[in-house]
Amino acid sequence: QVGEVYLVGAGPGDPELLTFKALRLMQQADVVLYDRLVSDEVLELCRRDADLIYVGKKRDQHAVPQQDINQLLIEHARAGRRVVRLKGGDPFIFGRGGEELEQLKAAGIPFQVVPGITAASACSTYGGIPLTHRNYAQSVKFVTGQLKNRTSDLNFAELVQPNQTIVFYMGLHTLEMLVTGLLEQGKPQDTPIAIVAQGTSPQQRVLTGTLADIVQKQAQAQLPAPAIIIVGEVVALQPQLAWFGESALDAETQRTED
Amino acid sequence: QVGEVYLVGAGPGDPELLTFKALRLMQQADVVLYDRLVSDEVLELCRRDADLIYVGKKRDQHAVPQQDINQLLIEHARAGRRVVRLKGGDPFIFGRGGEELEQLKAAGIPFQVVPGITAASACSTYGGIPLTHRNYAQSVKFVTGQLKNRTSDLNFAELVQPNQTIVFYMGLHTLEMLVTGLLEQGKPQDTPIAIVAQGTSPQQRVLTGTLADIVQKQAQAQLPAPAIIIVGEVVALQPQLAWFGESALDAETQRTED
């Protein structure tokens, strides 16, 4: 009898931000294939006797090629096992979940999908930056900052429209290109921008600035990946709404000094 | 001693899609202020002796005006209570979370924010529609379909760009205006579009079509709110990737008939 594959979003890393359904399926799984962005704390919640298989990718350096991951999922399911495919964040937002399911479908393997808290939600709530706000942004767009062909991949003319928030995933190493692209298309120099690094973890750090100064600020601060970048007027609310970790302390200090 | 406000995302309705942190804070709260989109099943997980206060809004008909909600949050916290402000989905994505926190901050009330599974994630995973996909969409945009000034609120020229997925929240009652706006700006007639109604619930229904025929299809099908609308090439994957509820059965029937 063929097994089943559960494509599960593991959220941002804090195990308290897992859903109940994610945990239930993790505890049923015989085999768990997991990515680099799945935290150790989350992995520890898998069944003690489950096989944990790391298939994580690093940028420009695939630990396990995608087609081999697909093949592993199919083989384990065909062997009758319950397989959890565990991905950081949400599997359908920059998670390549669709690609993996297409292969499972073609192979006749049944599957279910569990949404997870995507990085944009996690980092904005823990960073104190609403993604939409009646006065500042009536829409929000998630874009990958991982550029294959430098900036030619992105339609910056479309990204500079006002009254929207832009969230770049995986854009820390291309920050300068992203900022240059926005400025060249006429986005104002004083547009607020934030980097939220290691969001929701005790190591979370938030760096805020403007398109004019964020590259220099990050060169000094050296916030590490994983990080998301938030661009738009909503970022100006951050000093007021920060409540978690170091950024809240910074904001408190600023207010005391004012 | 002043209490604290927890602004908590309740996710799409299925209590299994709550996070552990959301449930923990719900079970600590003395008072819970909740919206229309919070399901009964989720509410039942609050403490038995907690005060549950409905502050839900209907479209064009505010059950409790926003400033009264703000005032309630402040009063209960000042009385030393632990208050959960429970919102469907994610509080920072079309949830007005930012507006409420600004008032709490001004009143000196401490707060925390818990992200929730937003409708776009929930409905796309349970509907079988990846929001991003390497071959079809490198970005995804969330837009409100709730138009104050008819279509003039939306920049349709920007929404018709290729290679992106658009998700309209609260757009079911403006479907025809949204479709007309996209077509007038040159979005192709055969662009795939889906309505996911009551996503993740046993009553979930998915209606797929194209910009040319979706208005007529919905006039016949009469899918009810709450619903989200997904526009883009990724919708073409739905018959293949549907796995939950009626839409999976439909897809199965179609394949059998083919």
Side-chain angles (χ1 to χ4, degrees):
Chain A
Q1 197 186 345
V2 72
E4 192 170 13
V5 174
Y6 308 125
L7 177 60
V8 174
D14 179 347
E16 268 215 298
L17 295 176
L18 273 178
T19 66
F20 285 89
K21 187 161 187 181
L23 183 66
R24 177 167 62 82
L25 295 179
M26 284 162 62
Q27 292 187 339
Q28 287 178 3
D30 306 303
V31 187
V32 177
L33 277 75
Y34 68 99
D35 277 341
R36 187 168 60 96
L37 288 178
V38 175
S39 70
D40 293 343
E41 292 84 351
V42 167
L43 274 183
E44 276 174 23
L45 299 173
C46 293
R47 244 175 53 201
R48 287 287 158 205
D49 61 339
D51 285 340
L52 301 187
I53 304 175
Y54 177 70
V55 294
K57 293 173 267 230
K58 296 186 181 183
R59 181 163 52 88
D60 303 329
Q61 185 189 344
H62 291 226
V64 177
Q66 185 64 51
Q67 62 186 40
D68 292 1
I69 298 177
N70 300 341
Q71 201 50 45
L72 277 171
L73 291 171
I74 291 167
E75 281 171 13
H76 283 291
R78 285 204 171 134
R81 300 196 183 96
R82 273 178 297 201
V83 184
V84 157
R85 174 70 176 107
L86 198 57
K87 284 173 179 282
D90 181 87
F92 275 4
I93 298 177
F94 304 120
R96 293 202 190 166
E99 283 104 308
E100 294 183 8
L101 296 187
E102 287 177 88
Q103 298 304 313
L104 294 175
K105 191 70 186 185
I109 310 288
F111 54 78
Q112 297 186 37
V113 192
V114 182
I117 303 284
T118 188
S121 279
C123 297
S124 68
T125 51
Y126 276 67
I129 303 170
L131 293 179
T132 67
H133 188 295
R134 271 202 296 181
N135 301 337
Y136 308 110
Q138 288 78 47
S139 68
V140 57
K141 182 160 192 173
F142 302 164
V143 184
T144 173
Q146 206 163 23
L147 308 177
K148 282 184 212 142
N149 310 304
R150 296 185 54 94
T151 57
S152 57
D153 287 346
L154 282 176
N155 181 349
F156 282 101
E158 184 261 310
L159 294 179
V160 300
Q161 300 296 325
N163 302 321
Q164 65 177 342
T165 306
I166 305 289
V167 181
F168 292 100
Y169 283 61
M170 300 162 284
L172 199 58
H173 63 288
T174 53
L175 177 66
E176 189 164 357
M177 276 194 281
L178 299 175
V179 167
T180 304
L182 292 170
L183 289 173
E184 281 177 358
Q185 287 294 326
K187 194 80 176 167
Q189 295 255 355
D190 61 358
T191 304
I193 178 171
I195 300 170
V196 182
Q198 301 179 288
T200 78
S201 80
Q203 292 77 41
Q204 171 177 305
R205 287 176 68 193
V206 181
L207 184 68
T208 59
T210 64
L211 289 180
D213 64 21
I214 194 69
V215 171
Q216 194 196 332
K217 279 185 163 182
Q218 165 61 2
Q220 285 195 309
Q222 295 282 334
L223 264 56
I228 64 160
I229 299 166
I230 304 176
V231 182
E233 299 301 324
V234 289
V235 172
L237 295 166
Q238 196 273 339
Q240 195 185 348
L241 301 188
W243 61 272
F244 178 76
E246 192 194 274
S247 57
L249 294 175
D250 285 357
E252 209 54 56
T253 312
Q254 275 177 16
R255 271 190 301 274
T256 313
E257 287 169 354
D258 283 349
Chain B
Q1 196 184 343
V2 72
E4 191 170 13
V5 174
Y6 309 125
L7 177 61
V8 174
D14 178 348
E16 267 214 297
L17 295 176
L18 274 177
T19 65
F20 286 90
K21 187 161 187 182
L23 182 66
R24 177 167 62 81
L25 295 179
M26 283 163 62
Q27 292 187 338
Q28 287 177 4
D30 305 302
V31 186
V32 178
L33 278 74
Y34 67 100
D35 277 341
R36 188 167 59 95
L37 288 178
V38 175
S39 71
D40 293 342
E41 293 84 350
V42 166
L43 274 182
E44 275 174 22
L45 300 173
C46 293
R47 243 175 54 200
R48 286 288 159 204
D49 61 338
D51 285 339
L52 302 187
I53 304 175
Y54 177 69
V55 293
K57 291 173 268 226
K58 296 185 182 185
R59 178 164 53 89
D60 302 330
Q61 184 187 346
H62 291 226
V64 178
Q66 185 63 52
Q67 62 187 39
D68 293 1
I69 297 177
N70 300 340
Q71 201 51 44
L72 276 171
L73 291 171
I74 291 167
E75 281 170 15
H76 283 292
R78 284 205 172 133
R81 302 196 182 96
R82 274 176 296 202
V83 184
V84 157
R85 174 71 176 105
L86 198 57
K87 285 172 179 283
D90 181 87
F92 275 4
I93 298 178
F94 304 119
R96 294 203 190 164
E99 283 104 310
E100 294 183 9
L101 296 187
E102 286 177 89
Q103 298 303 314
L104 295 175
K105 190 69 185 186
I109 310 287
F111 55 79
Q112 297 186 35
V113 193
V114 182
I117 303 285
T118 189
S121 280
C123 297
S124 68
T125 51
Y126 276 65
I129 303 170
L131 293 179
T132 67
H133 187 296
R134 271 202 295 182
N135 302 336
Y136 307 108
Q138 288 78 49
S139 68
V140 58
K141 182 159 192 173
F142 301 164
V143 184
T144 173
Q146 207 163 22
L147 308 177
K148 278 183 218 142
N149 309 303
R150 295 185 53 93
T151 58
S152 57
D153 287 347
L154 283 175
N155 182 348
F156 283 101
E158 184 260 309
L159 293 180
V160 300
Q161 300 296 325
N163 302 321
Q164 65 177 341
T165 305
I166 305 290
V167 181
F168 291 100
Y169 283 60
M170 301 162 284
L172 198 57
H173 62 290
T174 54
L175 177 67
E176 188 164 357
M177 275 195 282
L178 300 174
V179 167
T180 304
L182 292 170
L183 289 173
E184 280 177 358
Q185 288 294 325
K187 194 80 175 168
Q189 295 254 356
D190 62 358
T191 304
I193 178 170
I195 300 170
V196 182
Q198 301 179 286
T200 78
S201 81
Q203 292 76 40
Q204 172 177 305
R205 287 175 69 193
V206 181
L207 184 69
T208 59
T210 64
L211 289 181
D213 65 20
I214 193 72
V215 171
Q216 194 196 331
K217 279 186 164 184
Q218 165 62 2
Q220 286 196 307
Q222 293 283 335
L223 265 56
I228 64 159
I229 299 165
I230 305 177
V231 182
E233 299 301 324
V234 289
V235 172
L237 296 167
Q238 196 272 340
Q240 194 184 350
L241 301 188
W243 61 272
F244 177 76
E246 191 196 274
S247 57
L249 294 176
D250 286 356
E252 208 56 54
T253 312
Q254 274 177 17
R255 270 190 302 276
T256 313
E257 287 169 356
D258 283 350

